[in-house]
Amino acid sequence: MKAIILAAGRGSRMNEGTAEIPKCMMELFGITLLDHCIKSLESAGFARADIGIVTGYKKEKIQVEGVRYFHNQDWESTNMFVSLTVAREWLRRGPSVVSYSDIVFHPSAIKKLMETDGDIAITYYTGFWKLWRKRFANPFDDLETFKMADGKLIEIGGKPDSKKDIQGQYMGLLRFTPTGWQNVESAVKKNIPKPLERLDMTTLLQHMLTLGYEVGTIPTDELWLECDNQSDIRLYERNFTDFNRGTW
């Protein structure tokens, strides 16, 4: 099994923090966001040789020994899905776990993905409401729909009418088998709702559901953090000194 970290973007919401470095090189708790990802993947059992990093903005600033690099040369004009496609060699060959590079997560979330059945699966965070109340005056300004039935995703990425429309928070962690990735490649040829270069992952997942493909969902209550801006980083450093402790 392989692990692919999507680290091509600048992260414009970090403002001057990413003027000279990609977003994944911002620090949280004294180490970079990318190092947090790699640490969790290694703790889940991945060797460095089985970890791939998709670079883009200021790729020369990302120096991780022993990993495989993929590069999205069109990072400035494309979105996350296109970044993922540059690692299609691995996705077509065997099962792959995919991780955003601006998140901090417990290794158990990766282990659950590695052990699950199904061709496409994602994890979701059950403690999202408490976290979003710390991050936002009104959590509904940022939260999106996330609905499930019998362990399968049925809706993602819409505007929620109430809290009942949000059964969990998508974490930016996914798993594809080669069949699952083949289904993705087929799906993006069929009336995708956005231009391919602007396709984001939640829009892709909803498109897969619309076409009738299954997406498995895996809950985790171990602490997970999303770093959108410098305010998030300051908040987390004040409140969560050791994310490995799990729930709070």
Side-chain angles (χ1 to χ4, degrees):
M1 187 173 290
K2 303 293 187 181
I4 301 166
I5 303 173
L6 301 176
R10 171 176 176 169
S12 58
R13 283 180 288 182
M14 288 290 183
N15 297 318
E16 72 280 358
T18 56
E20 299 298 331
I21 56 172
K23 184 180 183 181
C24 67
M25 299 305 290
M26 293 287 291
E27 290 194 359
L28 175 65
F29 308 137
I31 66 173
T32 67
L33 297 176
L34 182 59
D35 283 338
H36 279 292
C37 291
I38 292 171
K39 177 183 174 183
S40 290
L41 288 169
E42 289 182 322
S43 295
F46 281 96
R48 286 283 178 100
D50 294 323
I51 298 174
I53 301 175
V54 180
T55 61
Y57 174 67
K58 293 194 178 294
K59 66 175 184 177
E60 70 280 0
K61 300 291 186 178
I62 299 177
Q63 303 287 335
V64 181
E65 191 172 335
V67 302
R68 169 75 181 272
Y69 286 100
F70 302 92
H71 182 62
N72 178 8
Q73 63 182 3
D74 299 317
W75 66 268
E76 195 167 10
S77 60
T78 60
N79 215 330
M80 197 167 287
F81 174 71
V82 173
S83 288
L84 183 56
T85 64
V86 302
R88 64 173 67 88
E89 169 193 340
W90 276 11
L91 291 156
R92 290 171 174 172
R93 186 187 304 166
S96 299
V97 169
V98 178
S99 172
Y100 292 7
S101 62
D102 61 353
I103 56 176
V104 176
F105 53 90
H106 196 277
S108 64
I110 298 297
K111 291 179 180 177
K112 292 173 184 177
L113 277 176
M114 294 167 70
E115 294 167 358
T116 192
D117 295 323
D119 292 315
I120 304 175
I122 62 175
T123 58
Y124 66 93
Y125 182 43
T126 61
F128 71 94
W129 185 252
K130 192 172 183 180
L131 179 61
W132 254 247
R133 287 185 66 186
K134 290 180 181 292
R135 295 178 68 199
F136 301 96
N138 179 8
F140 288 104
D141 289 341
D142 185 76
L143 286 167
E144 297 180 334
T145 58
F146 190 96
K147 299 180 183 180
M148 301 166 286
D150 300 321
K152 305 295 182 183
L153 189 65
I154 59 173
E155 183 182 330
I156 189 171
K159 183 66 176 176
D161 292 323
S162 67
K163 192 176 176 182
K164 69 179 182 180
D165 293 328
I166 314 165
Q167 296 174 291
Q169 172 61 36
Y170 167 64
M171 297 169 62
L173 295 173
L174 311 93
R175 178 182 181 270
F176 299 97
T177 66
T179 297
W181 181 249
Q182 184 180 43
N183 291 339
V184 169
E185 292 185 318
S186 297
V188 296
K189 298 175 183 177
K190 301 175 183 177
N191 300 315
I192 55 173
K194 291 184 179 181
L196 188 63
E197 66 272 13
R198 305 310 304 167
L199 188 61
D200 58 89
M201 296 303 293
T202 53
T203 301
L204 170 67
L205 290 170
Q206 182 59 49
H207 181 55
M208 299 294 291
L209 298 177
T210 301
L211 294 177
Y213 294 105
E214 286 191 351
V215 177
T217 57
I218 305 167
T220 182
D221 61 359
E222 300 281 9
L223 185 59
W224 164 86
L225 303 173
E226 173 187 62
C227 301
D228 275 347
N229 51 54
Q230 293 194 59
S231 295
D232 285 333
I233 289 177
R234 290 192 293 269
L235 173 70
Y236 301 154
E237 290 187 334
R238 287 196 306 268
N239 289 274
F240 312 116
T241 57
D242 183 1
F243 72 93
N244 280 320
R245 288 184 297 184
T247 56
W248 28 262

